[in-house]
Amino acid sequence: MNFNNLDCNVKYDEPLKNHTTFKIGGNCKILVEPKSVDNIIEILKICKNNNLNFFIIGNGSNLLVSDNGYDGVIIKLKENFSNIYLNDGYVVSQSGATLSEVFKFSMNNSLTGFEFASGIPGTIGGAVYMNAGAYGGEMKDVVSEVEVLDIDTLEQIVLKSENLHFDYRKSIVQERNYIITKVKLKLSVGDINEIRAVYLDLKEKRNSKQPLEFGSAGSTFKRPEGNFASKLIEDSGLKGYSVNDAMVSKKHSGFIVNVGNATCSDVLKLVDYVKKTVYEKYNVKLEMEVKILGE
Ligand SMILES: Cc1cc2nc3c(=O)[nH]c(=O)nc-3n(C[C@H](O)[C@H](O)[C@H](O)COP(=O)(O)OP(=O)(O)OC[C@H]3O[C@@H](n4cnc5c(N)ncnc54)[C@H](O)[C@@H]3O)c2cc1C
């Protein structure tokens, strides 16, 4: 196994709490930050030849990582895999660019339609994977096509928006062995001042409603049909309920926050308690939106 010959950052025995917005998670064996698709292919070949598990992360903003960490290789796309450019009127971005970077690039080119995503703290690859959305917009509205790397064949494939099977917090990538490498967005020409005004308004809404002062992975649960997880949790009297440093946010009951040194185990105990209480009171089964990594 030789990761050191790769022309990219390689870290050994790296704490994953430094790579997730929850600030939770034990160590991984190896963390690599590729710069190119060729780098990713080389990493995958090394993993396959050495029987190493691997997992892709963007900004780790929808992840809860086990206290035991991850026994394998984390391929982190945020940082070095983040070029953004204009091509024939489309905004094209490598998948590790953050939504905020892509939004700022779009705004500076007077392109409108991406304001909804400006405050979501993920990468554009993670956002396609999750069909991330906010304030009435979602990735499905703006993605024109996506380039993926097939992990099994190492081929690059272009998928049109209609073939991504976007649904609420879902895309086909969740069911396939694909790594999203590039995203092409179809935005409209707009007025930079109006775009900035919408952005500032949404930023203010987010700051006033979300507990951004603490670590979290955003909304812990998916929206149950015809209801809101945060309302059910609040109505169950769970606002501020905690297991050690994992707490149902006092500001927004849909978020479980890390108010200090919460562990993955604390969060999972709290999740179970919230699910059980909401089910007993309202007969609604909450499902986690946050992805869990490791044992
Ligand atoms: C404070 C806060 C607010 C949030 N607000 C919102 C919101 O308003 N709306 C919303 O939808 N979400 C929200 N989120 C959740 C999160 O930001 C989104 O789900 C985001 O899209 C995740 O992107 P990421 O790069 O961090 O993905 P990660 O957390 O790194 O990964 C999530 C999943 O995507 C996969 N993945 C990531 N990149 C790729 C890739 N290139 N190819 C293949 N698979 C990949 C990972 O393997 C993992 O399974 C919020 C989170 C926080 C902490």
Side-chain angles (χ1 to χ4, degrees), residues 99 112-120 127-128 130-143 166-170 185-187 198 202 205-206 223 289:
L99 294 167
T112 181
F114 208 57
E115 294 84 334
F116 77 90
S118 57
I120 303 176
V128 168
M130 292 299 297
N131 186 24
Y135 304 112
E138 51 186 346
M139 292 305 290
K140 119 179 194 295
D141 306 332
V142 289
V143 170
F166 283 125
D167 204 342
Y168 174 64
R169 299 299 172 263
K170 263 195 200 151
L185 300 177
K186 174 105 190 78
L187 304 174
V198 174
L202 296 183
K205 284 204 173 94
R206 215 171 255 278
R223 188 180 338 115
E289 177 172 323

Side-chain angles (χ1 to χ4, degrees), residues 7-289:
D7 176 29
C8 60
N9 282 347
V10 183
K11 294 169 183 166
Y12 293 88
D13 210 18
E14 177 69 8
L16 286 174
K17 67 175 175 194
N18 297 342
H19 300 273
T20 63
T21 53
F22 235 143
K23 305 283 170 231
I24 290 175
N27 295 6
C28 63
K29 237 184 202 156
I30 297 167
L31 184 140
V32 265
E33 294 172 325
K35 292 183 196 162
S36 63
V37 176
D38 283 348
N39 266 173
I40 301 176
I41 293 175
E42 285 175 277
I43 295 163
L44 293 178
K45 283 184 179 162
I46 298 176
C47 291
K48 285 182 184 177
N49 292 339
N50 293 279
N51 271 329
L52 288 166
N53 296 324
F54 57 87
F55 187 82
I56 311 297
I57 68 169
N59 191 34
S61 67
N62 201 44
L63 282 183
L64 176 62
V65 179
S66 158
D67 300 316
N68 298 326
Y70 179 68
D71 185 21
V73 179
I74 295 288
I75 304 173
K76 181 175 179 180
L77 298 180
K78 191 192 157 212
E79 311 299 346
N80 298 328
F81 197 68
S82 55
N83 282 338
I84 311 168
Y85 54 91
L86 268 184
N87 185 3
D88 209 10
Y90 291 89
V91 172
V92 184
S93 171
Q94 279 185 312
S95 58
T98 62
L99 294 167
S100 139
E101 288 163 346
V102 176
F103 164 72
K104 283 188 180 138
F105 179 89
S106 309
M107 178 175 73
N108 290 336
N109 285 283
S110 297
L111 290 170
T112 181
F114 208 57
E115 294 84 334
F116 77 90
S118 57
I120 303 176
T123 60
I124 195 158
V128 168
Y129 182 92
M130 292 299 297
N131 186 24
Y135 304 112
E138 51 186 346
M139 292 305 290
K140 119 179 194 295
D141 306 332
V142 289
V143 170
S144 163
E145 61 183 43
V146 161
E147 208 169 274
V148 296
L149 179 66
D150 183 318
I151 291 171
D152 299 321
T153 63
L154 300 182
E155 268 173 332
Q156 286 179 260
I157 306 166
V158 174
L159 294 171
K160 294 271 178 212
S161 179
E162 58 270 27
N163 297 324
L164 285 160
H165 298 191
F166 283 125
D167 204 342
Y168 174 64
R169 299 299 172 263
K170 263 195 200 151
S171 71
I172 199 166
V173 190
Q174 294 176 13
E175 293 157 27
R176 298 282 166 89
N177 252 349
Y178 289 159
I179 298 174
I180 299 159
T181 51
K182 201 187 267 180
V183 181
K184 188 169 164 184
L185 300 177
K186 174 105 190 78
L187 304 174
S188 314
V189 174
D191 177 88
I192 189 166
N193 293 319
E194 282 172 23
I195 298 169
R196 189 178 290 109
V198 174
Y199 154 68
L200 291 173
D201 179 48
L202 296 183
K203 188 174 173 186
E204 166 55 28
K205 284 204 173 94
R206 215 171 255 278
N207 284 341
S208 65
K209 298 228 168 79
Q210 297 189 351
L212 303 180
E213 63 279 30
F214 295 120
S216 82
S219 299
T220 315
F221 302 99
K222 291 185 181 167
R223 188 180 338 115
E225 217 167 296
N227 224 317
F228 289 99
S230 56
K231 180 161 178 5
L232 292 167
I233 296 168
E234 190 165 340
D235 292 350
S236 300
L238 292 171
K239 196 174 218 181
Y241 187 88
S242 61
V243 172
N244 299 321
D245 276 345
M247 181 188 278
V248 174
S249 163
K250 291 180 183 164
K251 197 164 171 187
H252 187 318
S253 306
F255 282 54
I256 288 181
V257 289
N258 176 2
V259 297
N261 291 306
T263 61
C264 177
S265 152
D266 295 334
V267 174
L268 290 177
K269 280 184 197 147
L270 183 55
V271 162
D272 281 348
Y273 186 76
V274 169
K275 277 184 171 176
K276 184 169 156 281
T277 310
V278 168
Y279 187 67
E280 281 170 5
K281 292 212 173 193
Y282 298 103
N283 204 26
V284 176
K285 280 190 176 158
L286 291 180
E287 226 185 289
M288 269 182 97
E289 177 172 323

